[in-house]
Amino acid sequence: MKKWIGIAGVLCMLLAGCSNPPGGDEGEGVDKENPSGDLSPLSKKTTVVIAEDGAASGAGFYIANEKGYFDDYNIEIEFATFANSDDMLPALASGEVDIAGGISSASFFNAIAQGIDVKIVADKGHNVEGKSYFTFVIGADKQEEIKDYSDLKGKKVAVSSQNALDEYIYFDMLEHAGLAKDEVEFVLMPDFGNMLAAIENGSIDAALQIEPLITQGIANGIHVRLGDATDFAPEAQIAMVLGSPDFIGKEKDVSLRFMAAYLKGVRDYNDAFTKGQDKDEIINIMTQYTALKDAAVWEDVFVTGLDPDGKMFIDNIREQYELYKDNGAIQGEIDFDEAIDTKLTEEVVEILGEYN
């Protein structure tokens, strides 16, 4: 029996594992008469464990589970969590889990550089242009003195981590604003909730904050948005779906169907939040699985961007790695042609067709 422990934070990694062997070598078996309307179901029920802490970026998994897309392929889902990414990556590489999700960080890249074999396979989170779910806010009382990013000169700005995605976006902002590092006071504050209190009591002036705390802080008059992160980082890859080499390569029947169900869930998510289709149903699912239980707030938040075809900003993943390397936080080299493998997602899109 596997041992699963812990509950991770807002941006925690998302994992999935397959505990039973696939039900034989079905091949693709594409037929409109299949329950899924495309791929045939596995001949034996196969359990896939998704370690998920309720992050909104797991929407594709939640929706696919509730709407029966996994059932159509004879896949049974179990949800569980890991305490942290240090436990997750070796388990993924060893095949204890099959699919995982994580954010860019020096520790993530160092693990790969040091021999932890995982594949980066699909998008699991990015900012939507003009509606970033991960962006800068300023104190509501600072609106007259901070009207642009350049006005952050001499100000205290809270960021939740160093040598990780948060700091990458922070440095992009400084470059966009024409500010040197020493012209802004960087405040390391790992807890996003503490950022709300710090802005309210005036101990910081701005923060790189995340939804739904952004919307909640605005509603309570604590802070306001400062522009939008896509002003200066329009193609930042925030989170990625990762795959075990064994799951992607040897468990092809399961992984192909798993990814098909996932992308169907992601497409329903996009239909709801970009087209308004069945939005109440999707919001109801999100309130069941995530920490945000208020359906009314889901109407206001800027939601996580999830590409309906699973496409990633691959060049940006490399750029983030280079930043951490320049900062001296990377030990070793990564062969990105080997680490990034989008063939599975591309094959699923060929089967499902591109999202319109």
Side-chain angles (χ1 to χ4, degrees):
M1 180 181 294
K2 298 173 187 174
K3 183 179 180 182
W4 308 93
I5 56 174
I7 301 238
V10 177
L11 279 177
C12 283
M13 298 191 171
L14 153 97
L15 317 152
C18 177
S19 62
N20 293 334
D25 185 10
E26 287 85 357
E28 289 187 6
V30 178
D31 190 326
K32 290 183 179 179
E33 298 302 314
N34 289 325
S36 63
D38 42 73
L39 292 164
S40 61
L42 299 166
S43 61
K44 294 182 181 179
K45 187 175 289 294
T46 301
T47 300
V48 174
V49 179
I50 305 178
E52 177 53 72
D53 68 322
S57 60
F61 301 112
Y62 314 143
I63 296 167
N65 195 46
E66 287 298 311
K67 298 196 74 171
Y69 298 143
F70 292 119
D71 289 337
D72 288 342
Y73 299 120
N74 210 14
I75 293 174
E76 184 175 34
I77 296 300
E78 293 181 6
F79 288 98
T81 59
F82 271 91
N84 53 59
S85 60
D86 290 339
D87 293 337
M88 178 272 290
L89 285 175
L92 178 66
S94 69
E96 183 182 348
V97 299
D98 305 300
I99 294 289
I103 60 171
S104 156
S105 68
S107 62
F108 167 70
F109 289 123
N110 274 326
I112 298 177
Q114 292 164 15
I116 298 293
D117 189 9
V118 300
K119 303 296 182 185
I120 301 169
V121 299
D123 175 48
K124 192 183 170 285
H126 62 270
N127 278 330
V128 176
E129 183 178 0
K131 295 184 176 181
S132 294
Y133 80 101
F134 189 45
T135 195
F136 286 94
V137 295
I138 60 171
D141 60 342
K142 305 290 183 182
Q143 294 179 72
E144 290 304 312
E145 57 184 298
I146 304 175
K147 296 182 177 181
D148 204 327
Y149 300 107
S150 59
D151 296 328
L152 291 174
K153 183 176 181 178
K155 304 298 184 183
K156 296 179 179 179
V157 181
V159 179
S160 67
S161 62
Q162 291 180 290
N163 291 315
L165 171 77
D166 312 55
E167 190 176 45
Y168 170 83
I169 291 179
Y170 172 76
F171 285 146
D172 261 12
M173 181 275 292
L174 292 183
E175 182 177 358
H176 173 77
L179 296 171
K181 294 180 185 179
D182 60 2
E183 290 183 303
V184 179
E185 185 175 342
F186 179 97
V187 179
L188 183 61
M189 192 171 291
D191 187 282
F192 290 103
N194 287 343
M195 292 180 185
L196 278 175
I199 281 187
E200 189 171 26
N201 65 31
S203 59
I204 60 172
D205 302 294
L208 180 54
Q209 185 59 278
I210 195 167
E211 291 284 19
L213 295 180
I214 294 172
T215 294
Q216 292 169 345
I218 292 172
N220 291 324
I222 297 172
H223 60 221
V224 297
R225 289 174 176 266
L226 177 62
D228 189 89
T230 57
D231 296 339
F232 52 85
E235 297 186 346
Q237 189 63 52
I238 295 176
M240 305 157 291
V241 176
L242 312 175
S244 159
D246 283 345
F247 187 65
I248 299 301
K250 297 178 183 179
E251 307 290 346
K252 181 67 178 294
D253 289 333
V254 183
S255 62
L256 191 68
R257 287 159 176 78
F258 182 89
M259 184 57 70
Y262 170 68
L263 286 186
K264 287 179 182 181
V266 169
R267 291 178 178 200
D268 285 352
Y269 174 87
N270 277 270
D271 285 345
F273 289 107
T274 64
K275 301 177 183 179
Q277 296 178 9
D278 300 318
K279 190 174 182 180
D280 289 344
E281 177 188 11
I282 299 306
I283 287 177
N284 181 56
I285 293 172
M286 297 302 287
T287 61
Q288 291 179 51
Y289 282 84
T290 71
L292 180 54
K293 303 300 182 183
D294 189 338
V297 176
W298 275 105
E299 294 285 353
D300 296 329
V301 296
F302 287 176
V303 298
T304 308
L306 295 172
D307 190 279
D309 292 331
K311 294 178 180 178
M312 298 177 286
F313 297 120
I314 292 175
D315 288 344
N316 184 257
I317 297 172
R318 295 172 183 262
E319 287 174 11
Q320 293 180 43
Y321 165 79
E322 292 297 336
L323 172 68
Y324 310 143
K325 187 176 179 181
D326 290 345
N327 287 347
I330 299 289
Q331 291 81 46
E333 298 289 334
I334 292 178
D335 181 353
F336 278 97
D337 292 334
E338 180 68 20
I340 298 176
D341 187 348
T342 60
K343 292 191 292 294
L344 175 66
T345 326
E346 291 164 0
E347 186 171 350
V348 168
V349 172
E350 286 183 9
I351 293 168
L352 300 181
E354 292 186 358
Y355 178 79
N356 184 3

